[in-house]
Amino acid sequence: MNTPLFNHPPVVQLPVLQLPVLQVAKRAWYPSVALIPDVLDDENLLAQVRDRQDHHAEAAFQTLYRRYAGAVYSLVRRLLRDQRDIEETVQDVFVRVWQRAGDYHSMRGSASSWILTIAHHAAIDVLRRNQVRSTAPIDDAELERSAVTPDLSSETVERVVIERAMNRLDGVERHLIELAYFEGLSHGQLAQRTGMPLGTIKTRIRQALQKLRAELGAG
Amino acid sequence: MRDEGKTMTQDDPRDLIALYALDALEPDEARRVEAYLERHPEAWEELRAHREVAARLARSVPQVDPPPHLEARVMERIRALGENRALETNPPANPATIPFTPKPQPKPSPLRWIAPAVALAASVAAIVLAVQNARLGAELEAQRALGLESAQIIAAGARSLPMKTPDGQAEVGRVLVAPDGRVLFVHTLGAVPQGKTWQAWYIQASNPAPVSLGVFDGSSVLKRIPDGVAALGVSEEPAGGSTAPTLIRGLANI
């Protein structure tokens, strides 16, 4: 994967001001982004947070927040209904990222999966504590529209790619993944909801994740 | 919420790793899996793989911008943690007199000096915004045309492959490779620096010399590659492009 195919060594530049054209509107909320070295990758930023070297740690953490706030907020919002719970949980997620940056190890996964795992876990905790489920279904129509949207951001492409991968699962596998991940059902609840034996659920979910991994080239 | 009559201790923890990755276990089952992982580090590979897939599922949720005030609240809380930590390392004579507040009132930030610099940066950003907005209309029109053709290659069964930094540590975009040789490069590198251009490349297994696919200045471009291509890349070049890559920003093996 890292085979050097080009002769010139990579050089990382740190531009003082760099505003993506198509993300200018979003970035208008964050004028101080120009002062943050946002070309650093997530793993390096977590290392700075872990090392706690005064304002570098804070600046690095702020960059991580701005990169992941949208994804974390959207995921938590997908699982929870109460706006106060959503905002509290998002805050808790990032506080945990700050507190536990020292626990992150690249051998155990990407920084992205680490942060989103924290987010999903936190939301599930609240969901089960409140015993209230979000009834907002996955908007399949919106996902279909996104396949031909003129705004070809990598975010849109990603959603289309994942949706296609999900469509390649059989109906049972896709249903189980959606119930477990997006509805927060536990192992036992999945069995009650679907009428399937626990052993079958374990096997089908594992198979589904393996199929998605192959389809997405993930990990 | 246990399933009646099911003895969870009969489950091999290894078989629960996929459910654990999706947070679909009860707390006691989750603890069993965690204990298993501590004793069997080799099992982390499966968990890691499942979690990467789960993270992609998380990314599939249509993104909604969080309320702007959330950032300030988060920063306030982590700064308060830092102040609390200072108290822990320098314990007062009578700890009972120091109340513990998980979310204390804001205190003067040691970073107050940054406010004037932020205001200056905001002014500069506004000027750049005005200039870039003029390009935005033309960019969106080009993207609209590109989006239609890109949807076609996705529907035609294009493979989606990650494009990563040369050290392989971070993902900076994707390449969609269709069976008929069309390739869509999509990157998250942001705007190309002034006076520079992005340039797309391919390299064939039979020839290590990179071959240019041309320059572009947006976040995506559609190209066509011949058979036998082993890798694709995006580099940052002087205006007009180069005969060989100068600053490689993304690489994808296919």
Side-chain angles (χ1 to χ4, degrees):
Chain A
M1 200 66 178
N2 296 326
T3 305
L5 297 172
F6 295 84
N7 293 326
H8 297 78
V11 175
V12 177
Q13 292 184 342
L14 296 176
V16 174
L17 179 63
Q18 185 173 13
L19 295 174
V21 172
L22 294 181
Q23 296 176 17
V24 153
K26 278 188 194 177
R27 294 294 181 96
W29 284 112
Y30 309 116
S32 62
V33 68
L35 302 176
I36 297 173
D38 61 357
V39 293
L40 290 180
D41 60 45
D42 299 339
E43 284 74 12
N44 279 320
L45 290 172
L46 273 175
Q48 289 194 348
V49 173
R50 177 198 63 210
D51 293 342
R52 290 287 201 275
Q53 291 193 5
D54 301 323
H55 68 279
H56 288 125
E58 218 175 275
F61 175 80
Q62 198 165 28
T63 299
L64 277 174
Y65 175 87
R66 290 170 180 177
R67 285 185 187 175
Y68 285 95
V72 168
Y73 181 79
S74 304
L75 176 62
V76 172
R77 186 171 172 271
R78 174 66 182 83
L79 288 158
L80 304 178
R81 299 195 67 183
D82 183 84
Q83 184 63 21
R84 187 173 55 186
D85 281 344
I86 293 168
E87 295 191 12
E88 287 292 319
T89 301
V90 170
Q91 292 179 54
D92 289 344
V93 166
F94 283 99
V95 168
R96 288 181 199 181
V97 168
W98 172 264
Q99 290 179 308
R100 299 182 185 174
D103 293 343
Y104 169 71
H105 196 296
S106 61
M107 295 299 292
R108 294 187 170 180
S110 65
S112 174
S113 74
W114 186 72
I115 292 172
L116 292 171
T117 295
I118 291 174
H120 188 264
H121 189 77
I124 293 294
D125 275 351
V126 175
L127 185 68
R128 291 178 182 168
R129 189 166 62 237
N130 292 347
Q131 298 285 314
V132 173
R133 304 204 176 282
S134 167
T135 57
I138 296 173
D139 190 341
D140 291 338
E142 179 175 348
L143 288 170
E144 285 179 10
R145 285 196 296 275
S146 72
V148 294
T149 179
D151 175 13
L152 198 68
S153 64
S154 59
E155 202 178 285
T156 303
V157 171
E158 177 77 350
R159 288 208 305 274
V160 169
V161 167
I162 294 169
E163 177 64 13
R164 194 184 69 178
M166 286 286 280
N167 284 338
R168 293 197 171 170
L169 299 177
D170 68 41
V172 170
E173 290 169 341
R174 176 170 180 160
H175 191 51
L176 287 174
I177 293 292
E178 289 174 355
L179 287 177
Y181 193 77
F182 291 112
E183 301 294 326
L185 268 64
S186 68
H187 190 196
Q189 291 167 335
L190 286 169
Q192 290 175 357
R193 176 77 72 89
T194 64
M196 296 168 62
L198 286 167
T200 303
I201 288 172
K202 277 190 305 185
T203 302
R204 297 305 298 270
I205 283 188
R206 188 180 191 190
Q207 287 174 343
L209 288 177
Q210 288 172 337
K211 285 184 185 178
L212 286 173
R213 179 186 178 190
E215 190 66 32
L216 298 171
Chain B
M1 293 187 190
R2 289 185 179 279
D3 187 35
E4 291 296 323
K6 171 66 179 179
T7 306
M8 293 302 176
T9 55
Q10 295 176 346
D11 286 318
D12 185 340
R14 184 176 47 194
D15 294 337
L16 299 176
I17 289 177
L19 287 165
Y20 178 77
L22 299 183
D23 294 311
L25 293 179
E26 300 294 344
D28 56 342
E29 295 173 300
R31 283 191 289 271
R32 287 181 57 234
V33 173
E34 288 159 5
Y36 178 83
L37 289 168
E38 287 294 317
R39 296 191 306 272
H40 302 274
E42 70 279 6
W44 267 98
E45 175 57 30
E46 180 179 351
L47 176 61
R48 186 192 63 77
H50 291 327
R51 278 184 167 169
E52 293 297 334
V53 172
R56 300 287 294 276
L57 292 175
R59 293 282 195 184
S60 73
V61 176
Q63 189 153 314
V64 177
D65 287 339
H69 63 259
L70 267 186
E71 179 174 343
R73 289 189 186 167
V74 168
M75 298 308 295
E76 176 186 310
R77 285 182 63 179
I78 63 129
R79 286 168 187 154
L81 288 171
E83 290 167 357
N84 282 339
R85 186 172 297 111
L87 284 174
E88 291 167 10
T89 56
N90 297 292
N94 184 356
T97 64
I98 308 297
F100 176 68
T101 49
K103 299 179 188 180
Q105 295 301 313
K107 295 186 180 180
S109 167
L111 296 179
R112 283 172 292 178
W113 62 269
I114 207 170
V118 168
L120 174 61
S123 301
V124 172
I127 293 170
V128 173
L129 176 62
V131 170
Q132 292 184 331
N133 272 342
R135 297 176 52 195
L136 192 58
E139 181 79 14
L140 285 176
E141 192 55 46
Q143 292 289 346
R144 191 172 294 114
L146 185 60
L148 294 174
E149 186 165 3
S150 302
Q152 291 174 359
I153 71 168
I154 292 171
R159 288 183 294 149
S160 173
L161 301 164
M163 186 161 56
K164 295 190 175 184
T165 51
D167 62 4
Q169 294 299 307
E171 189 168 311
V172 295
R174 310 286 292 183
V175 291
L176 300 181
V177 184
D180 63 358
R182 284 180 293 171
V183 176
L184 177 67
F185 292 80
V186 182
H187 70 77
T188 57
L189 297 166
V192 65
Q194 193 169 4
K196 298 294 181 73
T197 185
W198 301 123
Q199 190 162 353
W201 306 83
Y202 72 83
I203 185 165
Q204 290 179 298
S206 58
N207 183 358
V211 178
S212 174
L213 286 167
V215 299
F216 65 102
D217 61 0
S219 61
S220 57
V221 69
L222 191 62
K223 296 292 181 183
R224 190 175 288 273
I225 57 174
D227 293 336
V229 170
L232 297 164
V234 171
S235 69
E236 184 184 310
E237 303 299 330
S242 301
T243 56
T246 305
L247 178 61
I248 300 155
R249 300 296 300 274
L251 288 171
N253 286 334
I254 62 174

